[in-house]
RNA sequence: GGAGCUGUGGUGUAGUCAGGUCUAACAUGUCUGCCUGUCACGCAGAAGAUCGAGGGUUCGAAUCCCUUCAGCUCCGCCA
């Protein structure tokens, strides 16, 4: 019985004989005196009885339209029925606003449109939330009514920014001689990497396509084909758990070039990123981007995707810890681990509870605890100072450059745990201390990744990047004997703690590719079965080549200053990979399954 | 697979830790009436929630316990 529902019974009027002449948001004083036809949504109606103001909205903005019996009695009558989000058309004249009634908060605030004729093109129920920026609505509701959410100016700006980023990308790469080539969405499942989304083949019972995790193999094949410079703004699919910056389907800027070195790829990339920034937000980016090695990144920041907007670098005290009286430190080093710390500037006043919170946080990264010192005028204070000599305490304070009022936090463990825990702690402290300026964009390259790493669960080496990445030629002799020490010709582009993209020079020779397959424990038979076409292609004259791929959503997210890629995607999915608007994924009919020769093995809930 | 946070009229929140004074409060929105210069219009009035769902404890549950659902953040997973 809500009024909004009854309103819908009003017959909609047609606009067949009207042509929209202007957009709402673009009218200015230069248009004064002009007869216009506007169409849009009602943002707000202000009813003064004998006079009604309506803020009319379209993608370009708002303009005030005025219903006054002096202009049209009939239009005023109609305006009384108008409600928020009605779609209306108005015919009228642009006029300068009366003296003293300008609205400086509105780009169109100096003018208004005097309505001679109005039509209600469609009524609207009262929307479940306000169509305006900075609404704090439950994401459930935003996603269920995504079409309304997308009406908000903020979301419209995000989609426009995304469009401009895509256009800048295409324009730039076109100018550099790249051509966009589409690759299949229905392709072959490959081992390694993420879980595939599978699509059953009706005409090949029992067989499945996989949706691409990336067009990796196709773009390499295109190099074999002599395309030379390929790119694609392409959808990729990975069936893994979601995060703020991970969706099951996402978009990559995918590139590949022939006859290039890593330097060449990085140069093109830097120029492209600079161009995208310039064309979207006007941000001027300085190139080239600083580079750091994988090992440096870990040592200094505890992560291979460091946020370079602030310091708080990790400090190594393993040497000191090895001989100190604190058993936790000493035994960590003896077990082949590290003891590293971070200086939390100005956090010396943290309460026991706050330090406990930090400890809890470190625990989620598998740290066993968090040791700390509070820095005072009299030196370091903490329950654990008794395990250290005066000299040791003084050395620690000096090494951290700690001053009274600071807090020093330590993790002692295996290197991977120390890096993960302190890296996360550093990031959290950076945010908490207000060191992460959204308008500060610090790009960097991380290079010299290891080619392979040992996977304890699998009991074998696995590719860090992917198995088509070329080893550094100077490390080739190590491949057979010490695969863990081989460095890759790979590079990651990092921005403010987010991995934006990664790429590599690829293997282009069959013998080397087969060696790498061997190193990751893939049999010759399996290699032929899964990648025979690639190995065969390598036999037909394959140029040296390399490329890179970017998370387009992440790039746009950062340019838009948002915290989640959902905010820059028109129709994102929830953490359960569901689309709350359409209801996907959903069950299908028995008939569809039968046609695909699929039987289900799930317990059906009684409905 | 795991951890944490959130869920109260249409929307956003208060109330939950110390169960009864909550026959649930506030703001906004909605509806009705009045209003010719508002732009967060104003004024007067009205309607609207059994507190995500289910079960339990209790004389009594929004509040305590268990289960479950949904959203978010994170670990694992994933480049």
């Amino acid at each position: 019985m809500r009024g909004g529902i009854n309103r819908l019974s009003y017959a909609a009027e047609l606009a067949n004989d009207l042509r929209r002449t202007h957009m709402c948001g673009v009218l200015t004083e230069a248009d004064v005196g002009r007869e216009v036809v506007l169409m849009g949504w009602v943002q707000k109606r202000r009813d003064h009885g004998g006079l009604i103001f309506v803020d009319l909205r379209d993608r370009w903005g708002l303009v005030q339209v005025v219903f006054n019996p002096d202009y049209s009695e009939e239009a005023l009558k109609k305006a009384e029925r108008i409600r928020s989000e009605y779609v209306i058309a108005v015919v009228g004249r642009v006029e300068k606003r009366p003296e003293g009634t300008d609205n400086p908060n509105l780009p169109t605030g100096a003018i208004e449109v005097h309505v001679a004729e109005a039509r209600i093109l469609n009524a609207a129920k009262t929307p479940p939330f306000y169509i305006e920026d900075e609404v704090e609505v439950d994401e459930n509701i935003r996603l269920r009514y995504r079409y309304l959410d997308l009406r908000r100016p903020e979301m419209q700006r995000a989609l426009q920014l995304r469009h401009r980023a895509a256009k800048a990308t295409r324009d730039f790469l076109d100018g550099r001689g790249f051509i966009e080539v589409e690759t299949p969405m229905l392709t072959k499942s490959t081992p390694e990497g993420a879980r595939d989304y599978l699509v059953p083949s009706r005409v090949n019972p029992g067989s499945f396509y996989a949706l691409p995790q990336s067009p990796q193999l196709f773009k390499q094949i295109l190099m074999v084909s002599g395309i030379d410079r390929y790119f694609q703004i392409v959808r990729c699919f990975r069936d893994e758990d979601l995060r703020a910056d991970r969706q099951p389907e996402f978009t990559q800027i995918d590139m590949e070039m022939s006859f290039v070195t890593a330097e060449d790829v990085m140069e093109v990339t830097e120029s492209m990123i600079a161009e995208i920034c310039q064309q979207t937000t006007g941000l001027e980016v300085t190139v080239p981007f600083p580079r750091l090695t994988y090992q440096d990144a870990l040592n200094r920041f505890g992560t291979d995707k460091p946020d370079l907007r602030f310091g708080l670098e990790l400090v190594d005290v393993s040497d000191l810890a090895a001989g100190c009286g604190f058993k936790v430190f000493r035994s960590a080093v003896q077990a082949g681990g590290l003891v590293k710390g971070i200086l939390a500037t100005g956090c010396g006043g943290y309460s026991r509870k706050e330090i406990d919170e930090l400890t809890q946080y470190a625990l989620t990264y598998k740290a066993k605890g968090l040791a700390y010192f509070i820095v005072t005028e009299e030196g370091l204070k903490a329950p654990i100072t008794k395990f250290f000599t005066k000299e040791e305490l003084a050395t620690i304070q000096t090494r951290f450059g700690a001053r009274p009022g600071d807090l020093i936090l330590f993790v002692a463990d295996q290197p991977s745990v120390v890096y993960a825990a302190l890296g996360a702690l550093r990031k959290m402290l950076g945010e908490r201390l207000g060191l992460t300026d959204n308008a500060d964009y610090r790009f960097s390259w991380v290079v010299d990744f290891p080619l392979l790493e040992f996977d304890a669960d699998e009991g074998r080496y696995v590719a860090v990047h992917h198995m088509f990445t070329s080893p550094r030629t100077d490390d080739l002799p190590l491949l057979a004997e010490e695969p863990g020490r081989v460095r890759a010709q790979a590079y990651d582009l990092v921005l403010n703690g987010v991995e934006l993209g990664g790429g590599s020079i690829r293997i282009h020779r069959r013998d080397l590719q087969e060696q790498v397959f061997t190193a990751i424990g893939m049999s010759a038979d399996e290699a032929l079965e899964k990648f025979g076409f690639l190995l065969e292609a390598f036999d037909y004259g394959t140029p040296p080549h390399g490329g890179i791929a970017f998370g387009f959503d992440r790039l746009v997210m950062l340019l838009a200053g948002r915290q989640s890629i959902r905010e820059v995607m028109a129709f994102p999915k929830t953490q359960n990979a569901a689309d709350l608007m359409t209801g996907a994924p959903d069950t299908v009919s028995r008939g569809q399954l039968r046609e695909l020769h699929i039987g289900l093995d799930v317990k059906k809930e009684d409905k």
Side-chain angles (χ1 to χ4, degrees):
Chain A
M1 279 301 281
R2 286 182 47 226
I5 295 168
N6 289 334
R7 276 190 250 133
L8 296 177
S9 62
Y10 282 118
E13 298 173 280
L14 297 175
N16 290 346
D17 55 324
L18 291 181
R19 281 286 170 277
R20 178 160 66 158
T21 62
H22 291 76
M23 305 309 179
C24 298
V26 301
L27 294 174
T28 66
E29 281 191 82
D31 298 302
V32 168
R34 200 162 271 166
E35 299 284 344
V36 297
V37 178
L38 304 177
M39 300 186 188
W41 286 262
V42 173
Q43 179 72 30
K44 189 85 189 177
R45 183 188 66 141
R46 289 180 293 280
D47 187 344
H48 289 245
L51 178 71
I52 293 175
F53 299 99
V54 166
D55 291 334
L56 194 61
R57 184 192 72 233
D58 62 19
R59 212 183 87 202
W60 289 264
L62 291 179
V63 69
Q64 173 166 282
V65 300
V66 187
F67 295 84
N68 184 316
D70 296 347
Y71 317 145
S72 165
E73 286 271 8
E74 198 189 338
L76 179 67
K77 265 210 131 45
K78 233 176 246 178
E80 285 167 5
R81 288 176 9 212
I82 287 172
R83 294 293 183 274
S84 288
E85 299 307 313
Y86 272 38
V87 181
I88 66 170
V90 297
V91 181
R93 186 187 297 124
V94 180
E95 298 287 1
K96 195 164 163 37
R97 291 198 188 186
E99 193 73 34
T101 62
D102 285 14
N103 184 351
N105 301 321
L106 218 56
T108 59
I111 51 113
E112 60 190 17
V113 174
H114 294 183
V115 178
E117 186 191 347
R119 297 195 199 172
I120 297 174
L121 304 182
N122 216 337
K125 285 195 197 182
T126 302
F129 51 85
Y130 313 125
I131 310 299
E132 60 188 33
D133 286 351
E134 280 147 35
V135 285
E136 281 189 25
V137 188
D138 195 276
E139 254 191 90
N140 269 317
I141 294 168
R142 289 182 57 197
L143 291 173
R144 160 126 206 271
Y145 299 96
R146 192 61 165 176
Y147 42 88
L148 295 180
D149 194 32
L150 292 177
R151 279 186 197 168
R152 295 166 44 233
E154 177 172 68
M155 296 306 289
Q156 301 234 328
R157 278 197 301 276
L159 293 183
Q160 278 181 47
L161 176 71
R162 187 180 176 111
H163 160 73
R164 283 203 299 275
K167 176 160 165 45
T169 302
R170 289 202 166 92
D171 289 348
F172 174 85
L173 291 173
D174 176 66
R176 290 280 189 123
F178 286 76
I179 58 177
E180 185 163 17
V181 181
E182 290 162 280
T183 51
M185 287 289 119
L186 296 176
T187 178
K188 184 177 158 110
S189 179
T190 55
E192 310 271 304
R195 250 177 241 115
D196 287 318
Y197 273 100
L198 297 177
V199 180
S201 167
R202 176 182 54 83
V203 292
N204 298 282
S207 290
F208 294 81
Y209 301 98
L211 301 181
Q213 295 178 27
S214 85
Q216 183 61 34
L217 290 163
F218 289 104
K219 68 177 176 177
Q220 288 192 243
I221 295 289
L222 286 170
M223 294 303 103
V224 182
S225 308
I227 294 300
D228 205 301
R229 290 179 175 211
Y230 145 94
F231 87 99
Q232 189 179 187
I233 296 180
V234 63
R235 195 65 59 84
C236 302
F237 306 85
R238 291 176 190 163
D239 186 4
E240 296 293 346
D241 287 350
L242 283 68
R243 290 284 191 281
D245 62 354
R246 275 162 39 187
Q247 283 272 309
E249 50 180 311
F250 60 99
T251 303
Q252 283 194 343
I253 302 174
D254 192 47
M255 301 160 58
E256 197 74 7
M257 306 161 74
S258 290
F259 309 110
V260 291
T261 62
E263 294 299 323
D264 296 320
V265 179
M266 287 192 269
E267 187 281 319
V268 171
T269 297
E270 285 169 346
S271 304
M272 179 181 82
I273 291 289
E275 181 70 9
I276 294 171
C277 289
Q278 219 272 316
Q279 295 291 325
T280 50
T281 62
L283 175 74
E284 297 293 338
V285 172
T286 316
V287 295
F289 302 149
R291 294 181 194 183
L292 59 172
T293 66
Y294 173 80
Q295 199 55 54
D296 272 350
L298 280 186
N299 287 339
R300 294 170 56 195
F301 308 102
T303 173
D304 60 2
K305 43 182 183 180
D307 191 335
L308 298 183
R309 286 175 296 181
F310 58 93
L312 304 184
E313 294 192 19
L314 314 193
V315 175
D316 198 330
V317 293
S318 304
D319 55 330
L320 243 142
C324 78
F326 188 37
K327 191 168 169 246
V328 171
F329 280 14
R330 208 175 53 233
S331 57
V333 177
Q334 278 163 4
L338 296 172
V339 180
K340 283 168 97 71
I342 184 170
L343 180 71
T345 322
C347 298
Y350 272 21
S351 65
R352 182 61 194 271
K353 193 180 159 204
E354 283 171 304
I355 293 174
D356 277 352
E357 275 170 23
L358 296 178
T359 306
Q360 283 304 316
Y361 189 60
L363 256 41
T364 65
Y365 292 86
K366 300 272 150 47
K368 292 178 196 69
L370 203 57
Y372 67 92
F373 291 124
I374 292 164
V375 189
T376 70
E377 298 288 352
E378 294 83 43
L380 302 181
K381 287 274 189 295
I384 59 166
T385 47
K386 57 175 177 272
F387 300 114
F388 297 84
T389 66
K390 275 204 168 54
E391 292 71 31
E392 285 168 342
L393 293 174
T395 309
I396 288 172
Q397 183 167 352
T398 312
R399 198 175 287 183
F400 279 86
R403 290 202 299 240
D406 291 344
L407 176 71
I408 310 178
L409 302 162
F410 296 93
V411 175
D413 215 307
Q414 288 303 302
S416 62
V417 173
V418 172
Y419 293 140
L422 283 180
L425 217 45
R426 173 179 177 271
K427 191 175 173 185
M428 183 215 222
L429 287 168
E431 278 159 20
R432 194 179 277 200
L433 297 173
L435 304 173
T436 53
D437 178 1
N438 254 359
D440 191 11
Y441 291 81
R442 299 293 183 94
F443 291 92
S444 65
W445 289 106
V446 177
V447 298
D448 287 349
F449 279 82
L451 183 73
L452 307 168
E453 68 186 350
F454 193 77
D455 184 320
D457 293 338
E458 299 263 338
R460 63 179 177 87
Y461 282 92
V462 295
V464 169
H465 191 68
H466 56 54
M467 55 193 141
F468 313 107
T469 298
S470 178
R472 272 175 56 148
T473 44
D474 44 337
D475 287 349
L476 270 179
L478 298 169
L479 190 54
E481 298 300 319
E482 296 180 276
R485 287 186 55 204
V486 177
R487 287 166 300 173
Q489 292 194 60
Y491 29 84
D492 272 8
L493 182 65
V494 178
L495 170 56
N496 295 356
V498 176
E499 183 201 327
L500 269 192
S504 63
I505 297 300
R506 326 294 183 190
I507 297 166
H508 67 282
R509 285 190 355 237
R510 180 170 185 154
D511 58 341
L512 183 54
Q513 186 66 69
E514 285 171 338
Q515 278 181 56
V516 171
F517 283 156
T518 304
I520 61 172
M522 190 184 291
S523 70
D525 280 352
E526 191 184 355
L528 269 183
E529 200 264 309
K530 298 292 185 186
F531 302 112
F533 65 100
L534 180 73
L535 295 171
E536 194 173 273
F538 282 172
D539 285 339
Y540 285 92
T542 298
H545 60 283
I548 192 164
F550 299 91
F552 184 64
D553 313 278
R554 290 181 185 177
L555 176 61
V556 176
M557 167 185 88
L558 290 167
L559 289 170
R562 311 309 301 260
Q563 304 295 319
S564 165
I565 60 173
R566 294 189 302 278
E567 299 297 324
V568 295
M569 301 176 90
F571 302 105
K573 293 184 174 52
T574 68
Q575 197 156 56
N576 283 336
D579 178 340
L580 296 184
M581 187 180 73
T582 63
D586 204 351
T587 53
V588 296
S589 73
R590 284 179 154 312
Q592 281 174 288
L593 290 175
R594 210 175 306 120
E595 209 165 41
L596 296 167
H597 308 94
I598 289 179
L600 295 182
D601 183 26
V602 282
K603 299 255 185 299
K604 273 208 172 168
E605 304 255 328
D606 294 352
K607 282 217 162 174

